[in-house]
Amino acid sequence: MSKSVLIVVTSHDTIAGDKDKPTGLWLSEAAEPYIAFQGAGFKVDIASTKGGSVPIDPNSVDDDSAPRFSEVTRLLQNTERIKDVVYERYDAIFFAGGHGAMFDFPGDPDIQNIIAYYKDDGRIISAVCHGPAAFADAKTKDGKFLVDGIKITGFTNEEEEAMNLTEEMPFLLQSKLASNGAGFVEGAPMEENVVTSANFVTGQNPASAQGVAEAVINRLK
């Protein structure tokens, strides 16, 4: 029986509600894992917080990636709403990043319910870049922070500072995860860094998306 992975993406399209600062999903962070999971023979579905069409960060689309990611781009035009997903069907969940995720992943009750269930059941929870915003302040059924005692990585404070977006974010991801008890593993800025701990697989930045997908594939196989 083939394995299945649910990729979750943001539905949030602007930074801090400023229409002049469009954001959304960082395309490669969903597309590269999607292609890798499919290549491994897995069933892959994409869901978003609101369903429907997913905003893609314009900075993440270029002439090179557009043809390579065309199938995923098409799928992103009509996604299932996370609330409507039968999440028990999947062996792993993958949270893609992009700055949009900082605004709608944290505190989403459906996301928090799913990851608490996955942690309890020992299923794989994976994320890249700003995707670990899904874990911010999330708790398990026993009331502990989801990431307490887990080694995690994600977009670092230094990387956010380099983007000049520190002040625009609702919180700093590295600081938040560390304050929730995670052992945050910081790699070199914008270079691949993949961390596996318990049933978590996380990547620091866009360069880490492929590596996270490969680590998930290895765990599921």
Side-chain angles (χ1 to χ4, degrees):
M1 190 171 156
S2 76
K3 300 290 185 181
S4 56
V5 183
L6 178 66
I7 296 176
V8 181
V9 300
T10 183
S11 295
H12 190 89
D13 62 356
T14 58
I15 288 177
D18 186 339
K19 291 285 181 249
D20 294 329
K21 293 181 181 173
T23 189
L25 164 71
W26 196 265
L27 180 59
S28 65
E29 293 177 20
E32 286 178 1
Y34 182 92
I35 292 165
F37 294 143
Q38 274 222 318
F42 298 170
K43 181 183 188 307
V44 198
D45 292 318
I46 303 175
S48 60
T49 50
K50 289 183 181 171
S53 182
V54 171
I56 296 171
D57 190 316
N59 295 316
S60 72
V61 182
D62 57 43
D63 293 342
D64 292 338
S65 65
R68 199 157 56 98
F69 299 152
S70 59
E71 183 193 351
V72 178
T73 305
R74 182 180 56 76
L75 293 171
L76 290 167
Q77 289 167 13
N78 184 22
T79 58
E80 193 170 4
R81 189 172 58 153
I82 190 79
K83 191 179 189 67
D84 301 328
V85 170
V86 183
Y87 58 84
E88 296 91 345
R89 283 189 197 147
Y90 299 92
D91 300 290
I93 193 165
F94 180 96
F95 293 95
H99 280 94
M102 290 290 288
F103 296 91
D104 64 351
F105 280 7
D108 181 288
D110 300 297
I111 286 176
Q112 294 198 341
N113 185 37
I114 294 169
I115 50 183
Y117 173 84
Y118 272 43
K119 184 171 185 185
D120 200 40
D121 202 46
R123 300 192 196 192
I124 294 172
I125 300 167
S126 58
V128 70
C129 198
H130 291 94
F135 312 149
D137 294 336
K139 293 183 177 177
T140 51
K141 288 176 186 142
D142 58 9
K144 284 186 183 166
F145 282 119
L146 182 88
V147 296
D148 189 18
I150 305 287
K151 286 183 178 170
I152 292 278
T153 193
F155 208 62
T156 65
N157 293 356
E158 185 181 355
E159 286 169 325
E160 206 66 83
E161 186 65 39
M163 302 281 294
N164 291 318
L165 287 171
T166 299
E167 300 300 320
E168 312 275 2
M169 291 298 107
F171 55 85
L172 286 174
L173 186 57
Q174 177 179 351
S175 300
K176 173 69 78 176
L177 294 174
S179 73
N180 287 173
F184 193 92
V185 182
E186 182 176 0
M190 296 305 174
E191 290 186 20
E192 182 179 0
N193 178 31
V194 177
V195 175
T196 301
S197 177
N199 51 325
F200 286 78
V201 183
T202 51
Q204 182 172 316
N205 45 39
S208 310
Q210 183 75 29
V212 173
E214 286 167 6
V216 170
I217 289 165
N218 289 336
R219 292 285 288 273
L220 287 178
K221 283 193 163 177

